[in-house]
Amino acid sequence: MENKQDKEHQSAEWISTWSRFIRQKPFTQGTQSEIDSDIIEQVLEAIQNGNSCIPATQAQVDTLQNLVICAADASQEIAPFVFDQQHLYLYRYWILEHALAEQVVRLKQQTIDPIDIGDYSNLLSDEHQIRALHMVARQGLNIITGGPGTGKTYTLARIIAVLNQAIPNIRIAMAAPTGKAAQRMKEALQHSFNDEKLQNWVTNDLKQLNPVTLHRLLGLNSNNQPRFHAKKPLPYDVIVVDEASMLDLGLAQMLFAAVPEHARLILLGDADQLAAVDVGSVLADLQQVAALADNRVNLLTSRRFKEGALIGQMAQFIQLQEFTQNHVALLEKFSNQVVGPTQIETMSLTPEMEDHIQWEYLIEDTSKPMDWTPYYDKLMFGYQDYIEILKNYLTADEPELWMSKVLKCFDDYRILTAIRHGSLGLRQLNQQIEQRLLASLSLFMLKQGDWYVGRPVMMTYNDYQLGLSNGDIGICFKRNREGQSHFDVYFPSLDKWVLATRLPKSIETAFVMTIHKSQGSEFTHTAVVLDRSAKNLLSKELLYTAITRAKRGLTLLVDQDAFIQSLTHRSSRTSGLLDKINRIYNY
């Protein structure tokens, strides 16, 4: 709780500092006391929470005096704030939202040469997937959504195969917001391309498609300036973006602006997942635009979760659950419809295993110092196979033969948490898991500084010199270079080795991830930790995102009140994107 209070204090201090700065000259001609600081601080706080604007009245806006301009003047004038039909913005976010709205309409209205798909009618049987194929065949802007296992990538593979056959010398780009999401997109796409039905349609060029991060696709430099933009559009005929729920306002605006006039843009995503970490909820907003009804298809039939599969049942329970004050009845309903609380035990992962959910309540005794050791030990259960595979790697005569098994085994299990600080936050959990792994392997290897064989690490920012992006995950191995042994980190999503000593000090150990960072990933077994200090951050979208990272096994370690919050609270972001698009269409 102390860490949480520190963070809240820092946030309040940041807001207060910027509020004072904005109220100084040259922004205003008056004195600070003449300007209403409350409305300024509300806007700044909203931005920190991912909102692009706040609702405001004309009377509130008038207190800002010359710090604010109306939307009609914002294209010719600059001021700290813009007032646009009952919404108050920081100038930057009004400009981004306005520009994105114009690009959405441009792509909606552009003329695309339609494709005759009569020869490909047998490639899909699901009615929604067939609708998606028809949609992409005739228009430029395409949004395909669906929950886990509804066949988004399966459908995409067939759409791409058809486009590849129908458009000579087609140029296709594949991208995702993070390196991990790009890697998973590549694996899923190649798996779909290997389907027998597609063998006559898939060329070697398609099999060699290599999804990249959006940052790499757009050529963003260290100043966040894109190489490709409206005046120099992307050199592709089809641009596919997976995990589109992660698109923030700034990234979406750059992407849409860089799409050339003749190209098809295909957005794939799950509209029920978390919105972007930064400002905006672009995919959710586009889902509500009436004028885009013909530009979107929602896939409904889940094939990942079989009839009666527990993880699928839990995902559906979260989506359908409405707010209720009767928490006892809610938990009883969850126990009856999904699964009841038990104790966390070792879970055996096998290819033929049925969906399995186990969950245990966190018992926090505030009357005395808390011993978290039993909980750390239980969360460690999922990494026992990883320890054994590392032992084999470290003792093998030819360890390189075990490397792929190490990589695969690591992706079988991951711990997800909602917060970074505290006893069950990201940092402490990573330390505890690392200590237990090193203790188990102490007879086989030594830790040197921060590095050891099997250490998983995640980039925390974009490093353009190293060619690594925020969210890229690598595993540390020991390799010989020029006759000397060095720690090298392998990044599977890039098929790239980087000397450990070249990586930034800020790189994080990644046995544990935040739920936000886990978007775009899948693990055979996922453990989700929701403790009391995370309660105010929890929502249905956060819990849904966390549990749908699991393919077969799910472990929940939850505080009861935090769990109730995550089952009943729906998060929403304030945005004017929908209004701006509708205004252009006179809706």
Side-chain angles (χ1 to χ4, degrees):
M1 290 299 292
E2 183 179 348
N3 284 320
K4 182 185 174 188
Q5 291 169 354
D6 287 346
K7 188 173 181 181
E8 290 174 348
H9 175 73
Q10 291 170 6
S11 175
E13 193 174 74
W14 178 88
I15 291 171
S16 178
T17 299
W18 273 100
S19 175
R20 289 195 302 271
F21 177 74
I22 290 173
R23 287 180 287 132
Q24 292 176 349
K25 295 179 180 180
F27 303 110
T28 180
Q29 302 304 312
T31 63
Q32 288 196 20
S33 60
E34 294 174 337
I35 306 294
D36 184 1
S37 63
D38 288 344
I39 191 71
I40 293 175
E41 292 179 5
Q42 287 176 38
V43 175
L44 295 173
E45 184 177 5
I47 294 298
Q48 285 204 317
N49 293 327
N51 305 286
S52 63
C53 55
I54 64 168
T57 65
Q58 185 66 56
Q60 289 176 308
V61 171
D62 288 343
T63 66
L64 295 175
Q65 301 178 22
N66 67 317
L67 291 179
V68 63
I69 56 177
C70 67
D73 298 328
S75 298
Q76 290 79 37
E77 299 179 34
I78 296 177
F81 298 95
V82 177
F83 185 51
D84 186 359
Q85 294 198 353
Q86 286 76 53
H87 286 113
L88 184 63
Y89 293 79
L90 279 181
Y91 181 85
R92 161 180 165 77
Y93 293 107
W94 184 90
I95 288 291
L96 284 174
E97 204 170 82
H98 178 72
L100 178 57
E102 290 188 328
Q103 293 298 336
V104 170
V105 174
R106 174 182 72 87
L107 294 180
K108 163 67 178 177
Q109 294 179 338
Q110 71 179 353
T111 302
I112 292 290
D113 292 333
I115 294 171
D116 182 3
I117 58 174
D119 293 338
Y120 312 103
S121 57
N122 65 335
L123 288 180
L124 292 163
S125 56
D126 180 274
E127 61 174 311
H128 303 289
Q129 295 175 354
I130 293 171
R131 276 185 56 212
L133 174 58
H134 281 270
M135 174 179 68
V136 178
R138 66 176 186 267
Q139 53 197 26
L141 177 58
N142 306 276
I143 303 168
I144 302 173
T145 58
T150 52
K152 294 187 292 293
T153 307
Y154 174 91
T155 306
L156 174 67
R158 281 147 178 76
I159 290 172
I160 293 300
V162 170
L163 294 175
N164 186 57
Q165 291 289 321
I167 302 175
N169 303 313
I170 190 171
R171 298 165 299 171
I172 302 171
M174 299 276 180
T178 67
K180 185 63 181 177
Q183 179 191 7
R184 192 164 71 85
M185 183 186 189
K186 179 179 180 178
E187 293 168 351
L189 199 58
Q190 295 306 322
H191 176 75
S192 294
F193 280 154
N194 288 330
D195 191 302
E196 288 184 5
K197 279 190 175 183
L198 290 183
Q199 293 315 297
N200 293 331
W201 314 107
V202 174
T203 63
N204 287 331
D205 288 343
L206 290 189
K207 291 183 178 180
Q208 292 172 10
L209 281 174
N210 187 35
V212 297
T213 64
L214 272 172
H215 289 77
R216 290 191 180 93
L217 177 69
L218 294 168
L220 290 178
N221 61 22
S222 56
N223 295 319
N224 213 37
Q225 297 299 313
R227 178 186 174 195
F228 298 101
H229 41 74
K231 293 183 179 179
K232 185 184 178 181
L234 289 160
Y236 298 103
D237 306 300
V238 178
I239 300 162
V240 183
V241 178
D242 198 9
E243 299 293 344
S245 64
M246 300 169 69
L247 280 174
D248 61 70
L249 196 55
L251 197 55
Q253 188 276 325
M254 286 188 282
L255 168 67
F256 278 57
V259 177
E261 291 294 336
H262 69 279
R264 288 171 166 83
L265 174 64
I266 303 173
L267 302 179
L268 300 178
D270 185 344
D272 291 313
Q273 282 192 29
L274 282 167
V277 175
D278 292 325
V279 172
S281 51
V282 175
L283 184 64
D285 288 342
L286 295 181
Q287 291 289 97
Q288 301 178 61
V289 179
L292 298 181
D294 292 335
N295 298 78
R296 57 179 180 251
V297 171
N298 185 39
L299 307 181
L300 297 176
T301 306
S302 178
R303 291 166 177 79
R304 181 201 293 181
F305 302 124
K306 301 175 183 177
E307 186 71 28
L310 289 178
I311 299 174
Q313 286 184 18
M314 184 172 178
Q316 187 177 46
F317 185 93
I318 296 168
Q319 291 170 311
L320 298 178
Q321 181 58 48
E322 299 297 331
F323 178 77
T324 176
Q325 295 286 356
N326 192 339
H327 296 162
V328 173
L330 171 65
L331 293 175
E332 184 177 345
K333 182 179 178 182
F334 181 83
S335 295
N336 292 334
Q337 293 188 11
V338 186
V339 66
T342 53
Q343 295 289 312
I344 293 174
E345 299 176 343
T346 301
M347 191 180 298
S348 179
L349 303 181
T350 60
E352 63 279 358
M353 71 178 288
E354 296 291 331
D355 269 19
H356 182 59
I357 297 179
Q358 55 179 355
W359 64 294
E360 180 177 334
Y361 280 132
L362 275 164
I363 308 299
E364 297 187 44
D365 187 350
T366 57
S367 65
K368 59 182 179 181
M370 185 73 184
D371 179 15
W372 298 98
T373 302
Y375 294 124
Y376 297 143
D377 290 342
K378 289 182 178 183
L379 291 171
M380 189 67 198
F381 288 163
Y383 278 120
Q384 293 308 313
D385 288 345
Y386 188 59
I387 289 173
E388 293 305 313
I389 211 78
L390 283 175
K391 287 179 182 178
N392 291 331
Y393 171 85
L394 290 163
T395 57
D397 293 332
E398 298 182 77
E400 61 275 7
L401 299 179
W402 284 88
M403 196 182 81
S404 61
K405 295 180 181 178
V406 171
L407 295 169
K408 181 182 180 303
C409 187
F410 176 68
D411 269 349
D412 274 341
Y413 178 65
R414 201 65 43 87
I415 302 169
L416 306 181
T417 182
I419 54 177
R420 300 184 65 85
H421 305 283
S423 300
L424 292 175
L426 177 82
R427 294 180 181 176
Q428 183 67 9
L429 284 174
N430 266 319
Q431 289 178 9
Q432 293 295 329
I433 298 301
E434 181 178 81
Q435 288 173 12
R436 284 160 174 75
L437 180 133
L438 290 172
S440 298
L441 297 174
S442 60
L443 297 177
F444 303 91
M445 68 175 185
L446 293 175
K447 181 182 179 186
Q448 297 178 10
D450 292 330
W451 296 101
Y452 52 89
V453 171
R455 181 193 179 194
V457 291
M458 176 188 286
M459 287 293 292
T460 58
Y461 68 94
N462 298 324
D463 190 312
Y464 297 94
Q465 288 187 332
L466 292 177
L468 298 175
S469 298
N470 186 7
D472 284 344
I473 292 179
I475 304 288
C476 181
F477 295 94
K478 206 151 194 181
R479 301 170 76 214
N480 289 320
R481 287 194 180 193
E482 300 176 354
Q484 292 187 330
S485 182
H486 297 277
F487 283 120
D488 277 3
V489 177
Y490 181 67
F491 290 86
S493 64
L494 306 172
D495 191 19
K496 180 173 188 173
W497 288 95
V498 179
L499 194 64
T501 53
R502 293 193 64 202
L503 291 169
K505 291 290 185 183
S506 62
I507 201 161
E508 293 182 340
T509 302
F511 292 109
V512 185
M513 301 169 66
T514 62
I515 297 170
H516 276 92
K517 285 285 190 181
S518 74
Q519 282 184 273
S521 300
E522 280 185 355
F523 313 103
T524 309
H525 176 197
T526 303
V528 180
V529 182
L530 305 176
D531 73 321
R532 189 176 300 169
S533 61
K535 179 181 175 183
N536 293 334
L537 302 174
L538 301 179
S539 66
K540 292 159 70 79
E541 292 83 1
L542 192 82
L543 181 60
Y544 175 86
T545 299
I547 70 154
T548 54
R549 301 310 92 205
K551 292 188 287 187
R552 289 290 180 268
L554 176 64
T555 294
L556 297 167
L557 181 60
V558 295
D559 170 78
Q560 180 170 302
D561 290 341
F563 191 43
I564 290 168
Q565 170 82 357
S566 66
L567 287 171
T568 58
H569 176 70
R570 183 176 295 279
S571 64
S572 62
R573 290 187 172 180
T574 304
S575 160
L577 181 61
L578 174 62
D579 290 340
K580 288 180 174 61
I581 297 173
N582 285 341
R583 207 178 306 160
I584 297 173
Y585 279 103
N586 295 317
Y587 274 29

PDB file of all heavy atoms in Angstrom, residues 160-181:
ATOM      1  N   ILE A 160      -5.983 -13.599 -47.030  1.00  0.00           N
ATOM      2  CA  ILE A 160      -4.692 -13.252 -47.631  1.00  0.00           C
ATOM      3  C   ILE A 160      -4.408 -14.168 -48.831  1.00  0.00           C
ATOM      4  O   ILE A 160      -3.891 -13.710 -49.864  1.00  0.00           O
ATOM      5  CB  ILE A 160      -3.567 -13.365 -46.592  1.00  0.00           C
ATOM      6  CG1 ILE A 160      -3.736 -12.293 -45.506  1.00  0.00           C
ATOM      7  CG2 ILE A 160      -2.198 -13.220 -47.238  1.00  0.00           C
ATOM      8  CD1 ILE A 160      -3.716 -10.871 -46.016  1.00  0.00           C
ATOM      9  N   ALA A 161      -4.736 -15.450 -48.703  1.00  0.00           N
ATOM     10  CA  ALA A 161      -4.521 -16.378 -49.823  1.00  0.00           C
ATOM     11  C   ALA A 161      -5.338 -15.960 -51.034  1.00  0.00           C
ATOM     12  O   ALA A 161      -4.858 -16.004 -52.173  1.00  0.00           O
ATOM     13  CB  ALA A 161      -4.878 -17.799 -49.390  1.00  0.00           C
ATOM     14  N   VAL A 162      -6.587 -15.525 -50.809  1.00  0.00           N
ATOM     15  CA  VAL A 162      -7.448 -15.079 -51.911  1.00  0.00           C
ATOM     16  C   VAL A 162      -6.894 -13.802 -52.539  1.00  0.00           C
ATOM     17  O   VAL A 162      -6.810 -13.682 -53.774  1.00  0.00           O
ATOM     18  CB  VAL A 162      -8.888 -14.852 -51.405  1.00  0.00           C
ATOM     19  CG1 VAL A 162      -9.724 -14.162 -52.480  1.00  0.00           C
ATOM     20  CG2 VAL A 162      -9.526 -16.178 -51.007  1.00  0.00           C
ATOM     21  N   LEU A 163      -6.514 -12.833 -51.714  1.00  0.00           N
ATOM     22  CA  LEU A 163      -5.955 -11.587 -52.235  1.00  0.00           C
ATOM     23  C   LEU A 163      -4.680 -11.847 -53.030  1.00  0.00           C
ATOM     24  O   LEU A 163      -4.434 -11.223 -54.073  1.00  0.00           O
ATOM     25  CB  LEU A 163      -5.664 -10.621 -51.087  1.00  0.00           C
ATOM     26  CG  LEU A 163      -6.869 -10.083 -50.301  1.00  0.00           C
ATOM     27  CD1 LEU A 163      -6.394  -9.233 -49.135  1.00  0.00           C
ATOM     28  CD2 LEU A 163      -7.805  -9.293 -51.194  1.00  0.00           C
ATOM     29  N   ASN A 164      -3.885 -12.800 -52.549  1.00  0.00           N
ATOM     30  CA  ASN A 164      -2.623 -13.128 -53.214  1.00  0.00           C
ATOM     31  C   ASN A 164      -2.868 -13.706 -54.607  1.00  0.00           C
ATOM     32  O   ASN A 164      -2.101 -13.465 -55.550  1.00  0.00           O
ATOM     33  CB  ASN A 164      -1.840 -14.125 -52.360  1.00  0.00           C
ATOM     34  CG  ASN A 164      -0.458 -14.413 -52.912  1.00  0.00           C
ATOM     35  OD1 ASN A 164       0.342 -13.503 -53.098  1.00  0.00           O
ATOM     36  ND2 ASN A 164      -0.172 -15.689 -53.169  1.00  0.00           N
ATOM     37  N   GLN A 165      -3.949 -14.471 -54.732  1.00  0.00           N
ATOM     38  CA  GLN A 165      -4.300 -15.044 -56.032  1.00  0.00           C
ATOM     39  C   GLN A 165      -4.906 -13.994 -56.968  1.00  0.00           C
ATOM     40  O   GLN A 165      -4.672 -14.001 -58.175  1.00  0.00           O
ATOM     41  CB  GLN A 165      -5.299 -16.180 -55.840  1.00  0.00           C
ATOM     42  CG  GLN A 165      -4.724 -17.411 -55.172  1.00  0.00           C
ATOM     43  CD  GLN A 165      -3.770 -18.175 -56.062  1.00  0.00           C
ATOM     44  OE1 GLN A 165      -4.003 -18.313 -57.262  1.00  0.00           O
ATOM     45  NE2 GLN A 165      -2.676 -18.660 -55.497  1.00  0.00           N
ATOM     46  N   ALA A 166      -5.671 -13.072 -56.406  1.00  0.00           N
ATOM     47  CA  ALA A 166      -6.458 -12.151 -57.218  1.00  0.00           C
ATOM     48  C   ALA A 166      -5.706 -10.888 -57.640  1.00  0.00           C
ATOM     49  O   ALA A 166      -6.056 -10.272 -58.649  1.00  0.00           O
ATOM     50  CB  ALA A 166      -7.716 -11.749 -56.451  1.00  0.00           C
ATOM     51  N   ILE A 167      -4.686 -10.492 -56.866  1.00  0.00           N
ATOM     52  CA  ILE A 167      -3.982  -9.237 -57.155  1.00  0.00           C
ATOM     53  C   ILE A 167      -2.552  -9.555 -57.569  1.00  0.00           C
ATOM     54  O   ILE A 167      -1.748 -10.020 -56.748  1.00  0.00           O
ATOM     55  CB  ILE A 167      -3.979  -8.312 -55.921  1.00  0.00           C
ATOM     56  CG1 ILE A 167      -5.421  -8.010 -55.478  1.00  0.00           C
ATOM     57  CG2 ILE A 167      -3.245  -7.011 -56.226  1.00  0.00           C
ATOM     58  CD1 ILE A 167      -5.519  -7.203 -54.206  1.00  0.00           C
ATOM     59  N   PRO A 168      -2.189  -9.312 -58.828  1.00  0.00           N
ATOM     60  CA  PRO A 168      -0.825  -9.615 -59.289  1.00  0.00           C
ATOM     61  C   PRO A 168       0.218  -8.785 -58.534  1.00  0.00           C
ATOM     62  O   PRO A 168       0.008  -7.606 -58.248  1.00  0.00           O
ATOM     63  CB  PRO A 168      -0.858  -9.216 -60.774  1.00  0.00           C
ATOM     64  CG  PRO A 168      -2.315  -9.201 -61.142  1.00  0.00           C
ATOM     65  CD  PRO A 168      -3.045  -8.790 -59.904  1.00  0.00           C
ATOM     66  N   ASN A 169       1.333  -9.436 -58.183  1.00  0.00           N
ATOM     67  CA  ASN A 169       2.463  -8.762 -57.531  1.00  0.00           C
ATOM     68  C   ASN A 169       2.046  -8.024 -56.257  1.00  0.00           C
ATOM     69  O   ASN A 169       2.557  -6.934 -55.953  1.00  0.00           O
ATOM     70  CB  ASN A 169       3.137  -7.782 -58.498  1.00  0.00           C
ATOM     71  CG  ASN A 169       3.607  -8.459 -59.766  1.00  0.00           C
ATOM     72  OD1 ASN A 169       4.233  -9.519 -59.738  1.00  0.00           O
ATOM     73  ND2 ASN A 169       3.296  -7.854 -60.914  1.00  0.00           N
ATOM     74  N   ILE A 170       1.141  -8.610 -55.528  1.00  0.00           N
ATOM     75  CA  ILE A 170       0.618  -7.973 -54.323  1.00  0.00           C
ATOM     76  C   ILE A 170       1.726  -7.799 -53.284  1.00  0.00           C
ATOM     77  O   ILE A 170       2.609  -8.650 -53.124  1.00  0.00           O
ATOM     78  CB  ILE A 170      -0.549  -8.798 -53.736  1.00  0.00           C
ATOM     79  CG1 ILE A 170      -1.262  -8.024 -52.619  1.00  0.00           C
ATOM     80  CG2 ILE A 170      -0.070 -10.157 -53.243  1.00  0.00           C
ATOM     81  CD1 ILE A 170      -2.545  -8.689 -52.146  1.00  0.00           C
ATOM     82  N   ARG A 171       1.675  -6.686 -52.564  1.00  0.00           N
ATOM     83  CA  ARG A 171       2.630  -6.401 -51.487  1.00  0.00           C
ATOM     84  C   ARG A 171       1.860  -6.366 -50.174  1.00  0.00           C
ATOM     85  O   ARG A 171       0.930  -5.563 -50.028  1.00  0.00           O
ATOM     86  CB  ARG A 171       3.331  -5.072 -51.737  1.00  0.00           C
ATOM     87  CG  ARG A 171       4.157  -5.026 -53.035  1.00  0.00           C
ATOM     88  CD  ARG A 171       4.515  -3.591 -53.400  1.00  0.00           C
ATOM     89  NE  ARG A 171       3.306  -2.795 -53.618  1.00  0.00           N
ATOM     90  CZ  ARG A 171       3.312  -1.465 -53.773  1.00  0.00           C
ATOM     91  NH1 ARG A 171       4.450  -0.799 -53.725  1.00  0.00           N
ATOM     92  NH2 ARG A 171       2.174  -0.804 -53.960  1.00  0.00           N
ATOM     93  N   ILE A 172       2.248  -7.246 -49.247  1.00  0.00           N
ATOM     94  CA  ILE A 172       1.490  -7.422 -48.004  1.00  0.00           C
ATOM     95  C   ILE A 172       2.384  -7.110 -46.805  1.00  0.00           C
ATOM     96  O   ILE A 172       3.526  -7.574 -46.730  1.00  0.00           O
ATOM     97  CB  ILE A 172       0.956  -8.862 -47.889  1.00  0.00           C
ATOM     98  CG1 ILE A 172       0.066  -9.198 -49.088  1.00  0.00           C
ATOM     99  CG2 ILE A 172       0.194  -9.054 -46.587  1.00  0.00           C
ATOM    100  CD1 ILE A 172      -0.319 -10.661 -49.175  1.00  0.00           C
ATOM    101  N   ALA A 173       1.864  -6.331 -45.868  1.00  0.00           N
ATOM    102  CA  ALA A 173       2.562  -6.042 -44.616  1.00  0.00           C
ATOM    103  C   ALA A 173       1.745  -6.591 -43.452  1.00  0.00           C
ATOM    104  O   ALA A 173       0.522  -6.469 -43.427  1.00  0.00           O
ATOM    105  CB  ALA A 173       2.769  -4.544 -44.453  1.00  0.00           C
ATOM    106  N   MET A 174       2.448  -7.212 -42.506  1.00  0.00           N
ATOM    107  CA  MET A 174       1.816  -7.740 -41.305  1.00  0.00           C
ATOM    108  C   MET A 174       2.464  -7.066 -40.093  1.00  0.00           C
ATOM    109  O   MET A 174       3.689  -6.986 -40.010  1.00  0.00           O
ATOM    110  CB  MET A 174       2.020  -9.250 -41.203  1.00  0.00           C
ATOM    111  CG  MET A 174       1.426 -10.042 -42.346  1.00  0.00           C
ATOM    112  SD  MET A 174      -0.317 -10.353 -42.044  1.00  0.00           S
ATOM    113  CE  MET A 174      -0.721 -11.288 -43.512  1.00  0.00           C
ATOM    114  N   ALA A 175       1.652  -6.618 -39.141  1.00  0.00           N
ATOM    115  CA  ALA A 175       2.212  -5.924 -37.986  1.00  0.00           C
ATOM    116  C   ALA A 175       1.338  -6.146 -36.758  1.00  0.00           C
ATOM    117  O   ALA A 175       0.172  -6.539 -36.846  1.00  0.00           O
ATOM    118  CB  ALA A 175       2.352  -4.433 -38.284  1.00  0.00           C
ATOM    119  N   ALA A 176       1.925  -5.856 -35.600  1.00  0.00           N
ATOM    120  CA  ALA A 176       1.226  -5.905 -34.324  1.00  0.00           C
ATOM    121  C   ALA A 176       1.862  -4.854 -33.412  1.00  0.00           C
ATOM    122  O   ALA A 176       3.005  -4.444 -33.639  1.00  0.00           O
ATOM    123  CB  ALA A 176       1.325  -7.301 -33.697  1.00  0.00           C
ATOM    124  N   PRO A 177       1.168  -4.426 -32.365  1.00  0.00           N
ATOM    125  CA  PRO A 177       1.718  -3.370 -31.508  1.00  0.00           C
ATOM    126  C   PRO A 177       2.967  -3.764 -30.730  1.00  0.00           C
ATOM    127  O   PRO A 177       3.762  -2.897 -30.384  1.00  0.00           O
ATOM    128  CB  PRO A 177       0.557  -3.053 -30.552  1.00  0.00           C
ATOM    129  CG  PRO A 177      -0.666  -3.446 -31.311  1.00  0.00           C
ATOM    130  CD  PRO A 177      -0.259  -4.667 -32.089  1.00  0.00           C
ATOM    131  N   THR A 178       3.157  -5.059 -30.433  1.00  0.00           N
ATOM    132  CA  THR A 178       4.326  -5.495 -29.670  1.00  0.00           C
ATOM    133  C   THR A 178       5.057  -6.620 -30.388  1.00  0.00           C
ATOM    134  O   THR A 178       4.489  -7.297 -31.251  1.00  0.00           O
ATOM    135  CB  THR A 178       3.922  -6.000 -28.269  1.00  0.00           C
ATOM    136  OG1 THR A 178       3.159  -7.213 -28.418  1.00  0.00           O
ATOM    137  CG2 THR A 178       3.108  -4.967 -27.519  1.00  0.00           C
ATOM    138  N   GLY A 179       6.319  -6.830 -29.999  1.00  0.00           N
ATOM    139  CA  GLY A 179       7.107  -7.898 -30.589  1.00  0.00           C
ATOM    140  C   GLY A 179       6.517  -9.268 -30.310  1.00  0.00           C
ATOM    141  O   GLY A 179       6.516 -10.146 -31.180  1.00  0.00           O
ATOM    142  N   LYS A 180       6.017  -9.464 -29.094  1.00  0.00           N
ATOM    143  CA  LYS A 180       5.437 -10.759 -28.739  1.00  0.00           C
ATOM    144  C   LYS A 180       4.184 -11.037 -29.559  1.00  0.00           C
ATOM    145  O   LYS A 180       3.967 -12.148 -30.043  1.00  0.00           O
ATOM    146  CB  LYS A 180       5.097 -10.786 -27.242  1.00  0.00           C
ATOM    147  CG  LYS A 180       4.599 -12.143 -26.760  1.00  0.00           C
ATOM    148  CD  LYS A 180       5.664 -13.201 -26.923  1.00  0.00           C
ATOM    149  CE  LYS A 180       5.170 -14.561 -26.457  1.00  0.00           C
ATOM    150  NZ  LYS A 180       6.176 -15.612 -26.669  1.00  0.00           N
ATOM    151  N   ALA A 181       3.352 -10.001 -29.735  1.00  0.00           N
ATOM    152  CA  ALA A 181       2.143 -10.171 -30.541  1.00  0.00           C
ATOM    153  C   ALA A 181       2.492 -10.458 -31.995  1.00  0.00           C
ATOM    154  O   ALA A 181       1.825 -11.258 -32.660  1.00  0.00           O
ATOM    155  CB  ALA A 181       1.265  -8.924 -30.441  1.00  0.00           C
TER     156      ALA A 181
END
